[in-house]
Each structure stands twice: as structure tokens, then as C-alpha cells.
Amino acid sequence: MNRFFIFLASAILFSMTASTGANAQALKAGTAKINITPGNTNKAVHDSLYARSVILQSGDVRIAFITIDVGGYTNPGLLGKLKTDYDLDELYFCPSHTHTGAVDRQKIESELTSIIDKASKSMFDAQISGGHRQTPQLTFNRLIIRDDGHAREAWYADKEGHYKYLNKERIPFGPVDPSVGVFRIDDSKGNPQAVIMNFACHPDALCEIPNIISADFVGYATKYVESNFGNGTNCLFIQGGAGNQCALFKSPVDGGGAESSYEMVGRMGKLLGIEVCALAEELFPNPREKSGIALKTDSLDLKNRFDNDIATIHFSTIIINDKYAIATFPGEPFIKFQLDWKREMSPYAVPFFFGYTWNGGKWPTYVPDVRSAALGGYGADWGPVRAAEGGEAVITRHINNYYVLKGLMRSSQGPGEHRLDDGSVIWKPDWMK
């Protein structure tokens, strides 16, 4: 009886999917993974570095994401070549920003080409679902407000002993976003092929251990998710608005040395992975959801804060299945932009903020919000930092582009007549007469 019920439910679901999918542009996806750990280095490899790819296609729109366990990555030549060779409307390089990464520049181009090629050759009929889940607070805001009203970095200890070096007491300074976003990409039979986690935190918890290679907590988290699902499922980590976000598990905290640090960072990765898996296992595609990808790529000039350098940045607003709204943002944006985007979009869509995501233009380094710029600190009023208001302009443009893609932003004045309950019109503005 139970087997019959399961079979019957599956048959009904398949019928619903088939009947609704006939009126939609089918979603297709492909995914691949490759080890990119350099072999020609004198650093000790604690854990391997990986690149992973996902291609998404619906109708005539085809986009791809490549996540890379490195500090940062831009490559205009390779970007253009891969877009042309694999007929991509957009390609996004998404470095995790691990501070203990390494790149073999003689091999990286062929490695990234390989995973786009493999993903392109493994395209399957896909279903996508996504959402957010609160996590234990794993991060803190590393720009801590001091007694004079300005902020200083977590690595600055007060002479009075008010706050200690590297936040040894793990005080959960804010603002932060203690949630993780997850996309689950299944094949037509409901088998997960890829999981995308979107989380905002600097992967620099191991950076004070010299001469090692590690993907930091990202490596632990992605490995946990992939092991949980098995069957070749790839887990892509896409950074959020982590410009001022740091790990509460940052080392060294307790003076226990490298092994203690590895244990702490492994624990953080596992905790994050547990939450990603818990959410991913609950997600299920809506068979009545209309497949589709809407895309608008834009650009803005961001000025440096204290000189005349201009960074022309590219970014995309993406809507998937008329439900999931993605804002991409290159460089190191602060967490406020992620929180603002999610707040603006939440009533209308499931929002994701893809920071450290590059698809052309210049890498703008740190992009602070106005308040953080006023309070100061590294990335806010010193270091490689863009001027205040630039980041807000990017988010405003994203919001505008979302409504343009939705077809709601009119190019001329909208209707304005007065209509009574019975349907009779008693007044019209001049432009409607």
C-alpha cells in the first residue's frame, strides 16, 4: 500500500510537471568540478582548492557561474573567450576570497575552461528551488565602534583593554546577516546535481598560519554538503556582502596553535554545512512554477574615496522562474547592501546577493555603505576603498532593473482616472483624454 501510494504520488507530480512545463521555457543546467591546487608551490597543502561551475539555460538566455577557491579573480580575455565559445550571455567568476589560496596562473585558464566545457557537455533538464535559513551566528562585524565614536578593526586592541585583539571573546558585533541562502538544482527525476550556498563571511580564519594552502571554512562546508548528498553533487560557494564580515571562529583565539585553529575552522564549516543541508533537503521545486531566466547587465562608475581613480564596474540583475532575484556585485561590498537588497525584494521575490562576483569591468576593491564610511576603519575610510554613496547607487540600480525586468517600470505616465464602484469613470487626467 505504501509503495503504491508513493508511486501514485510520483505519477501525479510527473503529470503536473509535464502539463505545466509545456507552457514554459524548459530550464536546463550543467555542472562540473575540478581540483585547482597548485603543484608547484613550497606551501603545505592543508586541504585542496577547487573550482566548480554551473550553467543555467532557459529559452535563449544562457548564463554560467564559476566558483573558485582563490582570493580574487578577474580575466577579461578568458571571460570573453568562454562567453563566445560556449554561447553564454553572461559568465560570472565568483572567488571565495580565501586568504590561504594560491593560483597556478599557467594552468588556471585551462582548468576553468575545462569545467565550463564539462558542464556544457552534461546539460540536463533541470528543476530549481531556493530559500534562506537562519544559522547559528558564525560571523561578526570586524569594524567595531570605539569610545570616540569611530570604528576600528578587530585586529586593533584598545589600550584600555576594552576590546581585545581579534575579538578573542567572540563578541557578536553587528550588523551581520546570520542566514545562508541556498539554491538546489535537481535533474528531472528530483536528484540533486548542484547546491549553491550564498553566505557572507571573510574566509580568513586561517590566514595567520604561515605558508599553508586551504579553502578555509569554505572548503570544510562544501565538502560536508557534497558528502551529505553524494552521487557527484557539486556544492558551489558564492560569497555575499562580506567586506566587513569576519568569522567568530577566527584563529588564533585560544593560543592552541595550528591544529586548534584547524579544528575551530572545521567546526565552523561543519555548522554551516549542516544548515545548508537541512535547508536543501527541505527544498522542493514547485511543479506549477514557470521556468525562465530574465537578465539585465548594467554598469556604473565608482570613484575612489580619496583620489580620482574611477572603477567602471559591471553587475547583473537576474530573475529565475519569476521567483528568485539575484543581485551580483563585484569587489568587496559591505553587509548593508546584502541586507538592503533582501529587505527590498523579500515581499516580491526570494532574494540572493552574490558579492565578489565579476563579469567584466574593473574590480572595485572595498565598497562601504555611507554609515560605515563615516565610522571608518579598513575598507571604510582607509585602504583600497571606494567613495561613500557608490554602493547605494548600485543597489538602487539593481532595484530599478528588477522592476524593469518584471515589466512594471512604465516608460510613460500610467492611468489616473477616477472610477466608481459601478465601473463608471467620472474624471480623467488630460493625458488620458
Side-chain angles (χ1 to χ4, degrees):
M1 180 64 71
N2 288 341
R3 289 183 179 178
F4 175 76
F5 176 78
I6 293 169
F7 172 80
L8 180 62
S10 299
I12 294 171
L13 177 61
F14 177 80
S15 175
M16 291 172 62
T17 304
S19 62
T20 56
N23 298 318
Q25 295 177 321
L27 181 69
K28 292 184 175 294
T31 183
K33 171 183 173 181
I34 191 171
N35 190 317
I36 61 168
T37 311
N40 56 345
T41 177
N42 57 4
K43 294 184 178 181
V45 178
H46 175 260
D47 55 281
S48 294
L49 310 177
Y50 289 92
R52 299 169 174 89
S53 65
V54 160
I55 298 176
L56 295 174
Q57 180 177 347
S58 181
D60 58 358
V61 181
R62 183 174 163 94
I63 61 177
F65 298 91
I66 300 179
T67 63
I68 319 168
D69 290 334
V70 294
Y73 190 77
T74 63
N75 190 327
L78 181 63
L79 179 82
K81 185 176 188 304
L82 293 179
K83 286 175 66 175
T84 298
D85 290 352
Y86 295 94
D87 194 26
L88 298 168
D89 293 283
E90 286 295 347
L91 169 62
Y92 305 92
F93 292 141
C94 307
S96 69
H97 198 56
T98 177
H99 284 40
T100 45
V103 176
D104 185 339
R105 298 198 175 275
Q106 294 182 337
K107 291 179 58 181
I108 190 71
E109 290 194 9
S110 64
E111 291 166 338
L112 299 187
T113 300
S114 173
I115 60 168
I116 285 293
D117 186 67
K118 289 179 180 178
S120 183
K121 291 176 178 176
S122 68
M123 300 292 287
F124 54 89
D125 292 332
Q127 306 171 85
I128 192 168
S129 51
H132 298 94
R133 182 181 177 91
Q134 290 293 111
T135 69
Q137 187 165 336
L138 305 175
T139 65
F140 72 99
N141 194 306
R142 68 187 192 181
L143 297 182
I144 301 165
I145 301 174
R146 307 305 172 109
D147 292 343
D148 64 358
H150 276 109
R152 288 300 306 266
E153 309 77 19
W155 54 85
Y156 176 83
D158 293 327
K159 291 181 179 179
E160 300 82 8
H162 187 186
Y163 295 127
K164 296 186 177 181
Y165 178 69
L166 291 183
N167 191 17
K168 291 181 173 66
E169 293 137 333
R170 300 193 183 111
I171 300 171
F173 298 104
V176 300
D177 184 357
S179 67
V180 61
V182 174
F183 278 116
R184 173 174 156 173
I185 302 170
D186 294 353
D187 62 21
S188 59
K189 296 180 180 180
N191 300 311
Q193 301 297 314
V195 174
I196 299 174
M197 74 167 80
N198 181 207
F199 185 70
C201 182
H202 255 76
D204 63 351
L206 294 174
C207 69
E208 298 208 7
I209 302 175
N211 298 318
I212 66 162
I213 289 177
S214 172
D216 209 89
F217 74 85
V218 174
Y220 287 94
T222 52
K223 182 179 180 180
Y224 183 91
V225 175
E226 291 175 344
S227 297
N228 180 78
F229 283 98
N231 300 318
T233 301
N234 292 325
C235 180
L236 290 77
F237 176 92
I238 298 183
Q239 190 59 263
N244 55 351
Q245 303 295 289
C246 200
L248 272 175
F249 289 69
K250 187 174 176 63
S251 66
V253 173
D254 57 5
E259 288 306 316
S260 176
S261 298
Y262 295 144
E263 182 180 351
M264 284 193 304
V265 177
R267 180 63 178 155
M268 176 178 172
K270 182 176 180 179
L271 286 171
L272 180 59
I274 288 171
E275 301 301 330
V276 171
C277 289
L279 175 55
E281 288 168 353
E282 294 173 357
L283 293 174
F284 198 84
N286 181 354
R288 298 189 180 277
E289 204 166 84
K290 183 178 180 180
S291 299
I293 301 174
L295 168 70
K296 185 173 179 58
T297 294
D298 211 332
S299 64
L300 281 174
D301 292 338
L302 300 188
K303 182 182 177 298
N304 253 13
R305 179 156 186 189
F306 296 113
D307 61 41
N308 294 320
D309 178 74
I310 300 291
T312 300
I313 68 165
H314 295 181
F315 52 92
S316 296
T317 311
I318 307 165
I319 304 176
I320 299 176
N321 290 6
D322 202 31
K323 179 178 181 179
Y324 306 105
I326 301 171
T328 75
F329 200 133
E332 303 191 47
F334 276 30
I335 196 64
K336 184 177 186 298
F337 304 128
Q338 177 169 318
L339 297 171
D340 286 351
W341 172 250
K342 291 173 72 172
R343 184 183 64 252
E344 288 285 344
M345 289 295 104
S346 288
Y348 315 106
V350 182
F352 292 83
F353 186 83
F354 287 3
Y356 296 67
T357 296
W358 180 87
N359 63 314
K362 189 171 181 179
W363 187 261
T365 61
Y366 284 95
V367 186
D369 58 276
V370 171
R371 178 178 180 273
S372 295
L375 295 178
Y378 182 64
D381 70 353
W382 74 275
V385 55
R386 297 292 154 179
E389 301 183 33
E392 279 83 356
V394 176
I395 295 301
T396 299
R397 187 68 64 84
H398 269 303
I399 295 168
N400 179 79
N401 289 345
Y402 171 82
Y403 290 112
V404 169
L405 288 172
K406 292 283 288 183
L408 295 172
M409 190 64 71
R410 292 189 176 100
S411 57
S412 59
Q413 296 184 76
E417 70 271 23
H418 291 198
R419 191 173 71 177
L420 301 180
D421 295 342
D422 63 6
S424 59
V425 175
I426 60 172
W427 179 83
K428 290 183 178 181
D430 290 341
W431 72 85
M432 293 187 65
K433 293 177 181 177

